[in-house]
Amino acid sequence: MVRGKTQMRRIENATSRQVTFSKRRNGLLKKAFELSVLCDAQVALIIFSPRGKLYEFASSSMQEIIERYRKHTKDTPPAAKSAEQNVQQNLKQEAATLMKKIDTLEAAKRKFLGEGLGSCSIEELIQIEQQLEKSVSIVRARKTQLYKEQIEQLKEKEKALMDENAMLYDKCDNMVQNLATNKTNNKDQRENQAQPYAESSSPSSDVETELFIGLPETRTRRMSPTN
């Protein structure tokens, strides 16, 4: 029967996993022994089972082989360890460079604030003065620009308020004119309404009126025709 290829992954079944561990552990110990005997090599093998049990093999003293391994790794580190050490060294150098830059900037800041000038030479003081004058000119230019922008904004606001004021003035003028016109119309309307009443209450020239003074009998006798 042809043996199938074993997949390199964890065996999920606990019993099968333990059987495989026992078989391959024994095979590995056997290979280590054969290597040490056939090739006269110093071999040390350490195995911990999944349950934490220790299995080991050493062609000579395990402690001597471990010490030799430590000394060898210290004298000639592997490529990975060497690369890690190089990275750490580069980081240390970069950190030192940044610290120097920070110290330089802090010193320059103190000098610009007028502190720690006792150790400065004339040339350094001239450079600091020129830098400060340049900085002041830049600050003043920026301040002037901000003032101009604020003035323009205020002018636009003033124009908007003037336009609004003119609109309100026109509106008030129209309201006053409308009130005056309404008042005049109301007056004319009242006069037109009062004129017919005055005409109807005035005496007519075509109507005769008689005035009688005395007793009703006398009035009756007077109005009766004569015999």
Side-chain angles (χ1 to χ4, degrees):
M1 179 180 290
V2 180
R3 184 178 180 182
K5 185 177 180 181
T6 303
Q7 295 182 358
M8 289 294 104
R9 64 179 183 180
R10 182 176 181 272
I11 300 174
E12 298 298 333
N13 187 274
T15 304
S16 300
R17 187 168 61 248
Q18 184 61 34
V19 172
T20 303
F21 172 75
S22 299
K23 290 181 179 180
R24 293 184 178 270
R25 178 202 63 199
N26 294 333
L28 187 58
L29 292 171
K30 182 180 178 181
K31 293 294 184 182
F33 172 74
E34 292 176 355
L35 182 62
S36 64
V37 174
L38 296 176
C39 301
D40 194 18
Q42 287 188 341
V43 180
L45 176 63
I46 299 175
I47 301 174
F48 286 98
S49 69
R51 297 181 180 179
K53 188 176 180 180
L54 174 62
Y55 300 91
E56 62 179 2
F57 167 80
S59 59
S60 59
S61 173
M62 177 65 74
Q63 188 66 30
E64 291 179 359
I65 296 176
I66 292 175
E67 290 296 332
R68 184 178 179 182
Y69 170 76
R70 289 178 178 175
K71 183 178 179 181
H72 182 75
T73 55
K74 185 181 296 184
D75 295 339
T76 56
K81 188 174 181 180
S82 179
E84 183 178 356
Q85 289 179 352
N86 291 333
V87 172
Q88 292 179 356
Q89 187 67 24
N90 292 332
L91 290 176
K92 289 180 180 179
Q93 292 178 358
E94 186 176 357
T97 303
L98 291 176
M99 289 299 296
K100 290 181 180 180
K101 289 183 179 180
I102 292 173
D103 293 338
T104 303
L105 292 175
E106 289 291 338
K109 179 181 177 182
R110 288 193 297 269
K111 290 178 181 179
F112 285 137
L113 294 175
E115 300 175 358
L117 299 177
S119 61
C120 295
S121 60
I122 297 178
E123 290 77 8
E124 291 177 350
L125 293 174
I126 293 174
Q127 291 179 359
I128 294 172
E129 183 180 8
Q130 292 176 353
Q131 184 63 41
L132 289 174
E133 290 177 353
K134 183 178 179 181
S135 301
V136 169
S137 63
I138 294 173
V139 172
R140 287 177 178 172
R142 177 58 181 169
K143 185 179 68 174
T144 304
Q145 182 180 359
L146 291 177
Y147 280 153
K148 289 181 180 180
E149 292 177 357
Q150 290 180 357
I151 291 172
E152 292 296 330
Q153 292 176 359
L154 291 174
K155 286 182 178 179
E156 292 178 358
K157 189 175 181 179
E158 181 185 6
K159 183 180 178 181
L161 291 174
M162 291 179 65
D163 295 339
E164 185 178 0
N165 190 20
M167 183 180 65
L168 292 174
Y169 181 80
D170 294 339
K171 188 175 181 179
C172 291
D173 192 12
N174 293 331
M175 291 177 64
V176 171
Q177 291 179 1
N178 291 333
L179 289 174
T181 302
N182 292 333
K183 186 175 181 181
T184 303
N185 293 335
N186 292 333
K187 183 177 180 181
D188 294 340
Q189 186 177 4
R190 286 196 301 270
E191 291 178 354
N192 293 332
Q193 290 178 355
Q195 186 175 0
Y197 177 76
E199 291 177 356
S200 62
S201 60
S202 62
S204 177
S205 60
D206 296 334
V207 178
E208 285 184 321
T209 59
E210 292 183 355
L211 178 63
F212 297 97
I213 301 174
L215 296 174
E217 295 178 356
T218 306
R219 180 182 177 185
T220 304
R221 188 170 49 248
R222 186 178 178 178
M223 292 180 64
S224 63
T226 60
N227 293 329

